[in-house]
């Protein structure tokens, strides 16, 4: 990305110089003595060029298509100050501002075939056409039409083309990064603890002969949990649905541990519809049971509390287990969530929360030896766009 940024900045620097030189040919007359002094014309040209480039950049960062080209081309036209400007893909004219002739596609094909900028004579307007490259591959062309095709115009259109290419390349990097994050998020989401599956099925099997009706109920609970955990197609769910998944999980664990496992769930009704990242709560409950059942002769209590906190929902998962050394808790959060054997524990949820909402929304773990563990989760009520 650093190479792309350097190209973008160097191209923009030249364009600024061109804008200043172009404006100098129509430098305004000095104001009358009674008028307040105007700003320096060079500063105005620099500001204008930067402002126009800033207006064009957001559209180009969406990639090269008809909509983005249509939004950007008028700003590029203003930046170059030529008779007309057109943007083409490798196959079609996407957008233009100012009268555009049919020759633009012929010119574009010539440039795409050679891979180099070309100057085309014409009456009354000549054209400078430059290739647009994304990661070294031809993506389209930028064409500028004007009466006077000077060496300065050729270089300026070339530099503007490089700047546009840089923006398109940044768009491609954004797309690649988003795809990578999507793949990572789905990979993290899909990690269901094999130990839980084994233990749940073993528990159900133990009831098949002694209590077939209970075994059937647990099997249906397991099916509901598996359907939710394995078949979700979206990045977000509601806190209500997430709590339903936790309820099914706790029923299965309660069947395994019996009266040794106690749990309570306290939820403010206002936060039930809050959108939350899919499968963000169950791993915290699983972790609490894993660490909480080791105390007091294998008896433990897990508490889930969800409170309304204005613009956020605050969720805590507590256990009364033996706790852990705070330094060990930090290493757990820093561990690689994709490493084999990590299941979908604290590190997994921590990474996902930070990717979605930012570093300020990572998990907070409060623990000490002999004092149990509390994991805190903050979720904004405003739903973000999925990755």
């Amino acid at each position: 990305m650093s190479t792309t940024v350097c190209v973008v900045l160097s191209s923009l620097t030249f364009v600024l110089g061109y804008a200043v030189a172009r404006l100098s040919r129509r430098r305004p007359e000095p104001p009358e003595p009674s008028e307040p002094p105007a700003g320096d014309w060079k500063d105005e040209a620099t500001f204008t060029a930067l402002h126009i480039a800033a207006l064009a950049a957001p559209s180009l960062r969406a990639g090269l298509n008809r909509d983005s080209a249509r939004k950007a081309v008028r700003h590029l036209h203003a930046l170059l100050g030529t008779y007309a400007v057109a943007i083409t893909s490798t196959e079609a004219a996407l957008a233009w501002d100012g009268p555009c002739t049919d020759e633009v596609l012929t010119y574009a094909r010539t440039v795409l075939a050679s891979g180099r900028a070309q100057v085309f004579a014409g009456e009354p307007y000549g054209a400078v056409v430059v290739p647009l490259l994304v990661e070294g591959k031809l993506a389209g062309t930028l064409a500028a039409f004007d009466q006077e095709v000077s060496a300065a115009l050729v270089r300026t259109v070339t530099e503007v083309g490089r700047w546009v290419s840089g923006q398109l390349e940044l768009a491609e990097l954004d797309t690649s990064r988003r795809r990578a994050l999507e793949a990572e998020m789905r990979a993290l989401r899909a990690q269901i603890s094999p130990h839980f599956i084994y233990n749940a099925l073993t528990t159900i099997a133990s009831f098949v002969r002694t209590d077939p009706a209970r075994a059937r109920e647990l099997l249906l609970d397991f099916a509901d949990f598996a359907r939710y955990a394995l078949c979700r197609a979206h990045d977000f769910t509601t806190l209500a649905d997430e709590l339903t998944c936790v309820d099914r999980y706790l029923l299965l664990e309660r069947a395994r541990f019996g009266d040794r496992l106690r749990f309570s769930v306290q939820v403010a009704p206002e936060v039930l519809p809050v959108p939350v990242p899919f499968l963000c709560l169950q791993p915290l409950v699983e972790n609490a049971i894993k660490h909480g059942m080791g105390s007091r002769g294998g008896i433990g209590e897990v508490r889930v509390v969800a409170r309304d906190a204005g613009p956020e929902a605050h969720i805590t998962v507590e256990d009364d287990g033996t706790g852990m050394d705070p330094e060990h808790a930090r290493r757990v959060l820093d561990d690689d969530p994709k490493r084999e054997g990590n299941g979908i524990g604290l590190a997994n949820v921590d990474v996902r929360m930070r990717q979605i909402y930012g570093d300020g929304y990572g998990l907070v773990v409060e623990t000490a030896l002999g004092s149990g563990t509390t994991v805190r989760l903050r979720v904004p009520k405003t739903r973000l766009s999925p990755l």
Side-chain angles (χ1 to χ4, degrees), residues 311-367:
E312 298 177 339
H314 288 182
I315 305 168
T316 60
V317 178
E318 307 173 53
D319 68 69
D320 61 351
T322 56
M324 67 183 81
D325 181 75
E327 180 62 23
H328 176 68
R330 186 191 64 79
R331 289 196 300 270
V332 169
L333 288 180
D334 289 342
D335 203 358
D336 182 2
K338 299 187 291 298
R339 185 169 60 83
E340 184 177 356
N342 276 4
I344 48 173
L346 298 185
N348 181 308
V349 178
D350 183 63
V351 166
R352 291 166 57 203
M353 293 297 294
R354 292 175 187 275
Q355 286 180 345
I356 294 172
Y357 300 111
D359 286 338
Y361 286 90
L363 297 183
V364 176
V365 179
E366 299 174 0
T367 187

Side-chain angles (χ1 to χ4, degrees), residues 40-64:
D40 185 86
W41 62 272
K42 292 183 179 180
D43 293 339
E44 293 175 3
T46 300
F47 171 80
T48 299
L50 287 171
H51 178 65
I52 294 171
L55 292 175
S59 299
L60 296 170
R61 289 291 295 272
L64 187 61

